[in-house]
Amino acid sequence: MKRNIVIATVAAAALIGGGTVAAYAAAGDDDGAATQRQSSVRISDDRDDSADDSAEDRADDRDDKRDDDRDDDSVEVRSDAAGTKVTAADAIAAALKHTPGTAVGADLDDDGSRAWEVSVVKGDGTEQDVRVSASDGKVLGTHRDDDDDDDAREDLAALKGADVDAREAAVAAAAKGTVTDVDLDDDGPAAWSVETTKGEWKVDLRTGKVTQDLDD
């Protein structure tokens, strides 16, 4: 009888102990799961931070590249203008005297030839490129630009009713630096787009007001 009581007591103790072990095991499992979840959250946060940093680095790289491009363009423009004796306005006037029509652009060549290329649209809608020496203002030659006849007619339409022509736009923008390029910008409200050694500018077709071009 006593032996049965002892066995029962031992069994009960074993059950109680086993329950305690099981309880500890369950608690251990819960703690492990919580730790794993915390680790996963930390890893996810680290990945998000890394992605944000990478995006910021890429944006900074793009900004740096744009700044470098603008600096290179500025150096190139100043180099083109150095030693030029004939202004954009003078080149346009010389081109129109040689080839009557409507000037829609003037560009100082960057190929070392020291010449202006003035685009003139004649009354029949054809476009002529007139080369003018940047040293003495003499006309060096002309050739028809067959590829741009449609653009030429569009330029004439955009300039209909304008009070400021290409030469006058060049004169107005000259207050912002030496002019190296004059072009008709018909994207949106038409205006003269003028590049100088100090930046890019818009010249109003009606008022001649010069404002900085903030699109670039």
Side-chain angles (χ1 to χ4, degrees), residues 20-44:
T20 304
V21 171
Y24 283 143
D29 290 343
D30 290 341
D31 292 341
T35 302
Q36 185 175 4
R37 285 194 296 271
Q38 292 173 355
S39 299
S40 298
V41 170
R42 285 196 297 271
I43 292 172
S44 178

Side-chain angles (χ1 to χ4, degrees), residues 52-197:
D52 291 341
D53 291 342
S54 297
E56 291 176 1
D57 290 342
R58 287 194 296 271
D60 290 341
D61 290 342
R62 287 194 296 269
D63 291 340
D64 291 341
K65 186 177 185 302
R66 281 195 294 268
D67 291 340
D68 291 342
D69 289 343
R70 282 194 291 267
D71 291 342
D72 291 342
D73 290 342
S74 298
V75 171
E76 183 178 346
V77 167
R78 288 194 295 270
S79 177
D80 292 343
T84 300
K85 297 179 181 179
V86 177
T87 66
D90 292 339
I92 293 170
L96 291 175
K97 184 177 180 180
H98 181 274
T99 306
T102 301
V104 295
D107 177 51
L108 182 59
D109 283 349
D110 57 2
D111 58 3
S113 62
R114 293 296 177 189
W116 288 95
E117 186 167 299
V118 183
S119 298
V120 178
V121 180
K122 300 178 68 175
D124 60 0
T126 60
E127 183 171 333
Q128 297 281 334
D129 290 334
V130 184
R131 289 181 62 81
V132 179
S133 171
S135 300
D136 57 20
K138 292 182 179 180
V139 173
L140 303 175
T142 64
H143 73 274
R144 177 175 172 174
D145 193 342
D146 295 325
D147 295 334
D148 290 336
D149 284 351
D150 290 340
D151 291 340
R153 285 187 283 271
E154 291 176 1
D155 288 343
L156 287 181
L159 287 171
K160 187 176 181 179
D163 296 319
V164 179
D165 60 23
R167 188 193 68 80
E168 292 168 335
V171 171
K176 305 296 185 179
T178 302
V179 176
T180 59
D181 183 87
V182 180
D183 191 27
L184 181 62
D185 183 1
D186 55 4
D187 291 335
W192 291 109
S193 177
V194 184
E195 185 173 352
T196 76
T197 51

